[in-house]
Coordinates of all heavy atoms in Angstrom, one line a residue:
G250 N 98.7 107.1 69.3 CA 97.3 106.9 69.6 C 96.8 105.8 70.5 O 95.7 105.6 70.7
G251 N 97.8 105.1 71.1 CA 97.5 104.1 72.1 C 97.1 104.5 73.4 O 97.1 105.8 73.7
C252 N 96.8 103.6 74.3 CA 96.2 103.9 75.6 C 96.9 103.3 76.8 O 96.4 103.3 77.9 CB 94.6 103.5 75.7 SG 94.3 101.8 75.4
L253 N 98.2 102.8 76.6 CA 98.9 102.1 77.7 C 99.2 103.1 78.7 O 99.2 102.7 79.9 CB 100.2 101.5 77.0 CG 100.0 100.3 76.1 CD1 101.3 99.9 75.6 CD2 99.2 99.2 76.8
H254 N 99.3 104.4 78.5 CA 99.6 105.3 79.5 C 98.5 105.5 80.5 O 98.8 105.9 81.6 CB 100.0 106.7 78.9 CG 98.7 107.3 78.3 ND1 98.4 106.9 77.0 CD2 97.9 108.3 78.6 CE1 97.3 107.7 76.6 NE2 97.0 108.4 77.7
L255 N 97.4 105.0 80.2 CA 96.3 105.2 81.2 C 96.4 104.1 82.2 O 95.6 104.3 83.3 CB 94.9 104.9 80.4 CG 94.5 105.9 79.4 CD1 93.2 105.5 78.6 CD2 94.6 107.3 79.9
H256 N 97.2 103.2 82.2 CA 97.6 102.2 83.2 C 98.6 102.6 84.2 O 98.7 102.0 85.3 CB 98.0 100.8 82.6 CG 97.1 100.2 81.7 ND1 95.9 99.7 82.3 CD2 97.1 99.9 80.4 CE1 95.2 99.1 81.2 NE2 95.9 99.1 80.1
L257 N 99.2 103.8 84.0 CA 100.2 104.4 84.9 C 99.4 105.1 86.0 O 98.2 105.5 85.8 CB 101.1 105.4 84.2 CG 102.0 104.7 83.1 CD1 102.7 105.8 82.4 CD2 102.8 103.7 83.6
R258 N 100.0 105.3 87.1 CA 99.3 105.8 88.4 C 98.7 107.2 88.0 O 97.6 107.4 88.3 CB 100.3 106.1 89.5 CG 100.6 104.8 90.2 CD 99.5 104.5 91.3 NE 99.0 105.7 91.9 CZ 99.6 106.1 93.0 NH1 100.7 105.6 93.5 NH2 99.2 107.2 93.7
R259 N 99.4 108.1 87.4 CA 98.9 109.4 87.1 C 98.7 109.8 85.7 O 98.5 110.9 85.2 CB 99.9 110.4 87.8 CG 100.1 110.3 89.3 CD 101.0 111.5 89.9 NE 101.3 111.3 91.2 CZ 100.5 111.6 92.3 NH1 99.3 112.0 91.9 NH2 100.7 111.3 93.5
H260 N 98.7 108.6 85.0 CA 98.4 108.8 83.5 C 99.4 109.7 82.8 O 99.1 110.4 81.8 CB 97.0 109.3 83.3 CG 95.9 108.3 83.7 ND1 94.6 108.6 83.8 CD2 96.1 107.1 84.4 CE1 93.9 107.6 84.3 NE2 94.8 106.7 84.6
G261 N 100.5 110.0 83.4 CA 101.6 110.8 82.9 C 101.4 112.2 83.3 O 102.3 113.0 82.9
R262 N 100.5 112.5 84.2 CA 100.4 113.9 84.6 C 101.1 114.1 85.9 O 101.3 113.2 86.7 CB 98.8 114.2 84.9 CG 98.0 114.1 83.6 CD 96.6 114.7 84.0 NE 96.0 113.9 85.0 CZ 95.2 112.8 84.7 NH1 95.0 112.4 83.6 NH2 94.6 112.1 85.8
R263 N 101.5 115.4 86.1 CA 102.2 115.6 87.4 C 101.1 116.0 88.5 O 100.1 116.5 88.1 CB 103.1 116.8 87.2 CG 104.3 116.6 86.3 CD 105.2 117.8 86.2 NE 106.4 117.6 85.6 CZ 107.5 117.1 86.0 NH1 107.6 116.8 87.3 NH2 108.5 116.9 85.3
P264 N 101.4 115.7 89.8 CA 100.4 116.0 90.8 C 100.3 117.5 91.0 O 101.2 118.3 90.8 CB 101.1 115.3 92.1 CG 102.5 115.2 91.7 CD 102.6 115.0 90.3
K265 N 99.1 117.8 91.3 CA 98.7 119.3 91.4 C 98.7 119.6 92.9 O 98.5 118.8 93.8 CB 97.3 119.5 90.9 CG 97.4 119.4 89.4 CD 95.9 119.7 88.9 CE 95.8 119.5 87.4 NZ 94.4 119.7 86.9
W266 N 99.0 120.9 93.2 CA 99.0 121.4 94.7 C 97.8 122.4 94.7 O 97.8 123.4 94.0 CB 100.3 122.1 95.0 CG 100.3 122.9 96.3 CD1 100.3 124.2 96.4 CD2 100.2 122.3 97.5 NE1 100.3 124.5 97.7 CE2 100.2 123.4 98.4 CE3 100.2 121.0 98.1 CZ2 100.1 123.2 99.9 CZ3 100.1 120.8 99.4 CH2 100.1 121.9 100.3
F267 N 96.9 122.1 95.6 CA 95.8 122.8 95.8 C 95.8 123.8 97.0 O 94.7 124.5 97.2 CB 94.6 122.0 95.8 CG 94.2 121.2 94.5 CD1 94.6 119.9 94.4 CD2 93.6 121.7 93.4 CE1 94.4 119.1 93.2 CE2 93.4 121.1 92.3 CZ 93.8 119.8 92.2
G268 N 96.8 123.7 97.9 CA 96.9 124.5 99.0 C 96.1 123.8 100.1 O 95.6 122.8 100.0
M269 N 96.0 124.6 101.2 CA 95.3 124.1 102.4 C 93.8 124.4 102.4 O 93.4 125.5 101.9 CB 96.0 124.6 103.8 CG 97.3 124.0 104.1 SD 97.8 124.5 105.6 CE 99.3 123.5 105.9
A270 N 93.1 123.5 102.9 CA 91.6 123.7 103.0 C 91.4 124.6 104.3 O 92.2 124.5 105.2 CB 90.9 122.5 103.1
P271 N 90.3 125.3 104.4 CA 90.1 126.0 105.6 C 89.9 125.2 106.8 O 89.4 124.0 106.7 CB 88.8 126.9 105.3 CG 88.2 126.1 104.2 CD 89.3 125.5 103.3
A272 N 90.3 125.7 108.0 CA 90.2 124.8 109.2 C 88.7 124.6 109.5 O 87.9 125.4 109.3 CB 90.8 125.6 110.4
M273 N 88.4 123.4 110.0 CA 87.1 123.0 110.3 C 86.9 122.8 111.8 O 87.8 122.3 112.4 CB 86.7 121.6 109.6 CG 86.8 121.7 108.1 SD 86.3 120.1 107.3 CE 84.7 119.8 107.9
D274 N 85.8 123.2 112.3 CA 85.6 123.1 113.8 C 85.0 121.8 114.1 O 83.7 121.7 114.2 CB 84.7 124.3 114.2 CG 84.6 124.4 115.7 OD1 85.4 123.8 116.4 OD2 83.7 125.0 116.2
I275 N 85.8 120.7 114.2 CA 85.3 119.5 114.5 C 85.9 119.1 115.9 O 87.1 119.0 116.1 CB 85.8 118.4 113.5 CG1 85.0 118.8 112.1 CG2 85.3 117.0 113.9 CD1 85.5 118.0 111.0
R276 N 85.1 118.9 116.8 CA 85.5 118.5 118.2 C 85.4 117.0 118.4 O 84.2 116.5 118.4 CB 84.7 119.3 119.3 CG 85.0 120.8 119.2 CD 84.2 121.4 120.4 NE 84.6 122.9 120.4 CZ 84.3 123.9 119.7 NH1 83.4 123.7 118.6 NH2 84.7 125.1 119.9
I277 N 86.5 116.3 118.6 CA 86.4 114.9 118.8 C 86.6 114.6 120.3 O 87.6 115.0 120.9 CB 87.6 114.3 118.0 CG1 87.6 114.6 116.6 CG2 87.7 112.8 118.3 CD1 88.8 114.1 115.8
P278 N 85.5 114.0 121.0 CA 85.6 113.8 122.3 C 86.7 112.8 122.9 O 87.1 111.9 122.1 CB 84.3 113.3 122.7 CG 83.8 112.6 121.4 CD 84.4 113.4 120.3
H279 N 87.5 113.3 123.8 CA 88.6 112.5 124.4 C 89.6 112.1 123.4 O 90.2 111.1 123.3 CB 88.1 111.2 125.1 CG 87.1 111.6 126.2 ND1 85.7 111.3 125.9 CD2 87.2 112.1 127.4 CE1 85.0 111.8 127.1 NE2 86.0 112.2 128.0
R280 N 89.8 113.1 122.5 CA 90.8 112.9 121.4 C 92.2 112.6 122.0 O 92.8 113.2 122.7 CB 90.8 114.1 120.5 CG 91.9 114.1 119.3 CD 91.8 115.4 118.6 NE 92.8 115.5 117.6 CZ 94.1 115.9 117.6 NH1 94.6 116.1 118.9 NH2 95.0 115.9 116.7
R281 N 92.9 111.6 121.3 CA 94.2 111.2 121.6 C 95.2 111.8 120.5 O 95.0 111.3 119.3 CB 94.5 109.8 121.8 CG 93.8 109.1 123.0 CD 94.3 107.7 123.1 NE 93.6 107.0 124.2 CZ 92.4 106.4 124.1 NH1 91.8 106.4 122.9 NH2 91.9 105.8 125.1
D282 N 96.1 112.7 120.8 CA 96.9 113.2 119.7 C 98.1 112.3 119.4 O 98.4 111.5 120.2 CB 97.6 114.6 120.3 CG 98.2 115.3 119.1 OD1 97.6 116.0 118.4 OD2 99.5 115.3 119.1
I283 N 98.6 112.4 118.2 CA 99.6 111.6 117.7 C 100.9 111.7 118.5 O 101.7 110.7 118.6 CB 99.9 111.7 116.2 CG1 100.7 110.7 115.7 CG2 100.6 113.1 116.0 CD1 101.0 110.8 114.1
S284 N 101.1 112.7 119.3 CA 102.1 112.9 120.1 C 102.2 112.0 121.3 O 103.2 111.7 122.0 CB 102.3 114.4 120.6 OG 101.1 114.7 121.4
E285 N 101.0 111.5 121.6 CA 100.9 110.5 122.8 C 101.1 109.1 122.2 O 101.2 108.2 123.0 CB 99.5 110.6 123.4 CG 99.1 112.0 123.9 CD 97.6 112.0 124.3 OE1 97.1 111.0 124.8 OE2 97.0 113.0 124.1
R286 N 101.2 108.8 121.0 CA 101.4 107.4 120.4 C 102.8 107.0 120.8 O 103.7 107.7 120.8 CB 101.2 107.5 118.9 CG 101.1 106.2 118.3 CD 100.9 106.4 116.7 NE 102.0 106.9 116.1 CZ 102.2 107.1 114.7 NH1 101.2 106.8 113.9 NH2 103.3 107.6 114.2
P287 N 102.9 105.6 121.1 CA 104.3 105.1 121.4 C 105.3 105.4 120.3 O 105.0 105.2 119.1 CB 104.0 103.6 121.6 CG 102.5 103.5 121.9 CD 101.8 104.7 121.1
K288 N 106.5 105.7 120.7 CA 107.5 106.1 119.8 C 107.9 104.9 118.9 O 108.5 105.1 117.8 CB 108.8 106.6 120.5 CG 108.4 107.8 121.4 CD 107.9 108.9 120.5 CE 107.6 110.3 121.4 NZ 107.0 111.3 120.5
I289 N 107.6 103.7 119.4 CA 108.1 102.5 118.5 C 107.3 102.4 117.2 O 107.8 101.8 116.3 CB 107.8 101.2 119.5 CG1 108.5 100.0 118.7 CG2 106.3 100.9 119.7 CD1 108.4 98.7 119.5
V290 N 106.2 103.0 117.2 CA 105.4 103.2 116.0 C 106.1 103.7 114.9 O 106.0 103.4 113.7 CB 104.0 103.7 116.1 CG1 103.1 103.8 114.8 CG2 103.1 103.0 117.4
D291 N 106.9 104.8 115.2 CA 107.7 105.5 114.1 C 108.7 104.7 113.6 O 109.4 105.1 112.6 CB 108.2 106.8 114.8 CG 107.0 107.8 115.2 OD1 106.1 107.7 114.5 OD2 107.3 108.5 116.2
K292 N 109.1 103.6 114.2 CA 110.2 102.9 113.8 C 109.9 101.8 112.7 O 110.8 101.1 112.1 CB 111.0 102.1 114.9 CG 111.6 103.1 115.9 CD 112.2 102.3 117.1 CE 112.9 103.3 118.1 NZ 113.6 102.6 119.2
W293 N 108.6 101.6 112.5 CA 108.1 100.6 111.4 C 108.7 99.2 111.6 O 109.2 98.6 110.6 CB 108.5 101.1 109.9 CG 108.0 102.6 109.7 CD1 108.4 103.8 110.2 CD2 106.8 102.8 108.8 NE1 107.6 104.8 109.7 CE2 106.7 104.2 108.9 CE3 105.9 102.0 108.0 CZ2 105.7 104.9 108.1 CZ3 105.0 102.7 107.3 CH2 104.8 104.0 107.4

């Protein structure tokens, strides 16, 4: 009957998968794609 499990990240529950949301038509002006990002960023 204790409540220590409530201090855990997911309270003992497994993460759920909800699938993909429908695509949204959001136009970002002069958008820079992640493919243009310097490769050194991926090395952490």
